[in-house]
Amino acid sequence: MRLKSKIYLYTSVLFAALLAVVCISVYVLFQRMSVEDETQRIQAEAFLIAERVAGSSAQIAPDDLLRAYVPADGMLRVVRPEGTSLSAVTNGAGDAFTAETYAYHESVTSERLSAGGSGYIRVSVPVIWSDGEVRSVQISRSIADTEGRLAVLRTVLVVVSLLALIPAILASRVLSNRIVKPISALTGTMGDIRQSGKFRQIETGQKPGDELAEMERAFNEMIALLEANFARQERFVSDASHELKTPLTIIESYANLLRRRGKERPEVFDEAVGAILSESVRMRELTERLLQSARRPEADTLEMTETNLTASVRESAAAFSGAYGRRVNVRADDVVPVTTDTAKVRQLLFILLDNARKYSEDGIEVEVSGGSGIAARIRVIDRGVGIPEAELPKVFDRFYRVDSSRTRQTGGSGLGLSLAQDIAEALGVQIGIESQVGKGTMVTLAFPTLNLPRPTSDTRSGKTGLGRRSTRTDEHKSERKERS
């Protein structure tokens, strides 16, 4: 059974059951009150008749006495202790009780009887007769009027219940439709996504705060996350196929050359092995950067600590200089305090130093300044080929290269500055670049001060304002290419 039918059936049955309980309770309560009122009225009448009959029993014949007080819709009789009685007197309505076995009651009693399809109430009242004997005066009266009113009440309750079920059933249908609507929209959207392969979000119009609106929000957030992950996956596959094709082709070509001529010609062997090794190293670096670029930005857990930026930069520069044999000159204040993720800063600095190494032959300079309420800054300066002013807005785009032939010689993949921009955004650091052709390039990292909040995404997406040629762009984040 479908959920909509279940809700419709269960709510209808539940409302019908509640309505039946209410109607039965009303009827039982009204019946009890009506019978008790009728019994009290007959008891009062029985006390009055018993007093008068006992007081006149010595002067008037018993039959005439009872006939004078017999009710119009019942029976009157006097029962002796031994179980015998004077002649029962009726007006026709109580004839069914004349043949009954006499029952003597020493105290006031009342009971409900049924005869001939009608209901009666019998009240027994003990009295002292004229001869000093205690006898029981019994009055039986019909309660047909009360039963008639109860019958009318039963009919009214049944009719009202049936009439009330109609809007209840309609309300149940409306309720089931309203509850199932966002679920139907959800399943329909999932079916459309499965058939078309395109991500979509649902809009049910639910007011914020209820569970259905929460379900809609959670589904839309999940779809947005899946769409972003799918886009990253597609971008990774596209980037990998695009960038790995060239080194694989080179490796394959030199491997074929080795197989054909490597044994006879040592110079060919040395050239091929060197090229294969060089391309293998470049493939490894490219693969690492592709994997880092394809990760979810929120997957990186930042460990923000207060640290001395100068010490961190000096350690990173020394490690880089030892690895690549390039001189890195650090000019910095003794203490530049910042609150940041030290490991991410080192990763960011290595990317910038590696970029400077590839595009300059001279030494690399690193300047660190700031502290005491002033924003800390790191400047990485090289004296290399520089970047034309028209190319500066594109250097943070994925796989962008200012000079493709030069990039092939240096082993650049076009991912370094794009990855650096992502890391800087995660740290709340503003990144900017200034460059002149033939004179070199300066990349500046501006850290927030200790007493200021981290920059918002809007702040980070703007210009860095580092000079006339300084720029930082977000326009092409979906397919960024970079100079590396």
Side-chain angles (χ1 to χ4, degrees):
M1 183 181 295
R2 298 180 66 85
L3 179 61
K4 179 179 179 180
S5 300
K6 288 182 179 180
I7 296 174
Y8 176 57
L9 176 62
Y10 293 163
T11 53
S12 299
V13 171
L14 178 61
F15 186 84
L18 291 176
L19 189 61
V21 170
V22 170
C23 291
I24 292 174
S25 300
V26 170
Y27 176 78
V28 170
L29 180 61
F30 186 79
Q31 180 191 42
R32 181 175 299 175
M33 292 175 61
S34 299
V35 172
E36 288 180 355
D37 289 344
E38 192 71 15
T39 301
Q40 291 178 0
R41 185 180 66 81
I42 295 175
Q43 281 184 352
E45 183 181 2
F47 277 112
L48 181 60
I49 293 175
E51 181 181 356
R52 292 179 179 178
V53 167
S56 305
S57 60
Q59 294 84 17
I60 305 174
D63 291 344
D64 296 337
L65 184 61
L66 295 178
R67 194 174 292 111
Y69 292 102
V70 65
D73 52 355
M75 179 191 71
L76 177 63
R77 66 184 179 184
V78 179
V79 180
R80 299 186 181 91
E82 62 271 17
T84 60
S85 173
L86 302 177
S87 297
V89 179
T90 70
N91 283 327
D95 291 344
F97 299 107
T98 56
E100 279 186 336
T101 302
Y102 301 137
Y104 174 78
H105 298 282
E106 296 181 350
S107 59
V108 179
T109 60
S110 60
E111 54 185 329
R112 186 175 177 182
L113 307 173
S114 179
S118 298
Y120 291 83
I121 292 179
R122 175 178 295 169
V123 177
S124 300
V125 179
V127 296
I128 300 176
W129 207 249
S130 58
D131 57 2
E133 185 181 32
V134 178
R135 300 181 182 182
S136 177
V137 177
Q138 296 181 354
I139 300 177
S140 301
R141 294 203 63 168
S142 173
I143 55 172
D145 292 342
T146 301
E147 290 182 336
R149 290 192 296 272
L150 292 175
V152 172
L153 177 62
R154 284 197 303 269
T155 304
V156 169
L157 290 176
V158 171
V159 173
V160 169
S161 299
L162 295 177
L163 293 177
L165 279 177
I166 297 175
I169 293 174
L170 295 177
S172 299
R173 180 174 293 276
V174 172
L175 178 63
S176 62
N177 290 336
R178 182 173 179 82
I179 293 177
V180 174
K181 179 181 178 181
I183 301 177
S184 301
L186 176 64
T187 55
T189 301
M190 294 174 67
D192 293 342
I193 293 174
R194 184 179 64 253
Q195 294 178 1
S196 64
K198 297 180 179 179
F199 293 98
R200 289 180 48 220
Q201 295 189 348
I202 60 172
E203 294 182 2
T204 59
Q206 298 292 326
K207 294 183 179 180
D210 62 12
E211 288 78 2
L212 297 178
E214 288 296 319
M215 183 188 71
E216 175 186 347
R217 181 188 60 79
F219 176 80
N220 289 337
E221 289 180 354
M222 180 191 67
I223 288 297
L225 181 61
L226 290 176
E227 186 175 8
N229 288 336
F230 185 74
R232 275 190 290 271
Q233 180 182 1
E234 283 190 326
R235 187 179 66 183
F236 174 78
V237 173
S238 175
D239 294 347
S241 62
H242 175 268
E243 288 301 309
L244 295 178
K245 180 166 54 178
T246 299
L248 286 175
T249 301
I250 295 174
I251 291 174
E252 182 182 6
S253 299
Y254 275 103
N256 288 329
L257 182 62
L258 276 175
R259 185 176 60 181
R260 294 195 310 268
R261 303 177 184 177
K263 295 181 180 180
E264 295 82 10
R265 302 177 59 179
E267 68 277 7
V268 172
F269 179 86
D270 293 338
E271 178 185 356
V273 170
I276 290 174
L277 178 60
S278 175
E279 292 300 317
S280 298
V281 172
R282 197 165 72 86
M283 281 182 59
R284 176 178 57 79
E285 294 178 352
L286 176 61
T287 303
E288 291 176 354
R289 291 193 175 182
L290 281 171
L291 291 173
Q292 286 181 316
S293 179
R295 292 177 62 188
R296 288 173 48 197
E298 58 270 26
D300 291 329
T301 302
L302 299 179
E303 297 182 2
M304 308 296 287
T305 58
E306 186 173 349
T307 184
N308 182 6
L309 191 59
T310 298
S312 179
V313 170
R314 290 188 186 278
E315 292 175 4
S316 301
F320 182 86
S321 179
Y324 291 97
R326 292 291 298 272
R327 180 174 57 85
V328 180
N329 182 26
V330 179
R331 297 195 302 270
D333 299 332
D334 291 337
V335 178
V336 179
V338 293
T339 300
T340 187
D341 188 319
T342 306
K344 295 295 182 187
V345 172
R346 288 173 60 89
Q347 182 182 3
L348 180 57
L349 190 57
F350 268 110
I351 293 175
L352 299 181
L353 291 173
D354 186 58
N355 213 56
R357 174 187 66 85
K358 293 174 182 176
Y359 289 90
S360 67
E361 300 295 336
D362 298 332
I364 303 170
E365 297 181 2
V366 180
E367 297 179 355
V368 184
S369 61
S372 300
I374 302 175
R377 293 177 183 269
I378 299 177
R379 293 181 177 89
V380 179
I381 305 169
D382 66 68
R383 308 300 178 186
V385 296
I387 306 170
E389 183 176 0
E391 305 292 338
L392 284 177
K394 305 175 184 177
V395 295
F396 289 106
D397 296 345
R398 292 172 58 80
F399 296 109
Y400 179 78
R401 300 183 181 93
V402 176
D403 185 347
S404 297
S405 60
R406 173 67 175 166
T407 301
R408 287 301 175 194
Q409 296 175 8
T410 58
S413 63
L415 282 170
L417 290 180
S418 175
L419 181 58
Q421 187 184 46
D422 291 339
I423 297 173
E425 286 185 348
L427 294 173
V429 173
Q430 292 181 335
I431 182 171
I433 184 169
E434 301 177 46
S435 185
Q436 289 184 358
V437 176
K439 294 185 177 181
T441 302
M442 179 177 70
V443 180
T444 303
L445 304 176
F447 292 77
T449 56
L450 292 175
N451 58 344
L452 294 177
R454 290 176 56 187
T456 62
S457 58
D458 293 338
T459 304
R460 295 198 302 266
S461 63
K463 303 278 185 178
T464 59
L466 295 174
R468 183 173 60 88
R469 297 183 180 178
S470 175
T471 183
R472 182 177 181 276
T473 59
D474 281 344
E475 285 85 358
H476 309 287
K477 289 189 87 171
S478 62
E479 285 295 328
R480 293 190 302 242
K481 302 176 182 177
E482 70 161 32
R483 164 185 175 267
S484 77

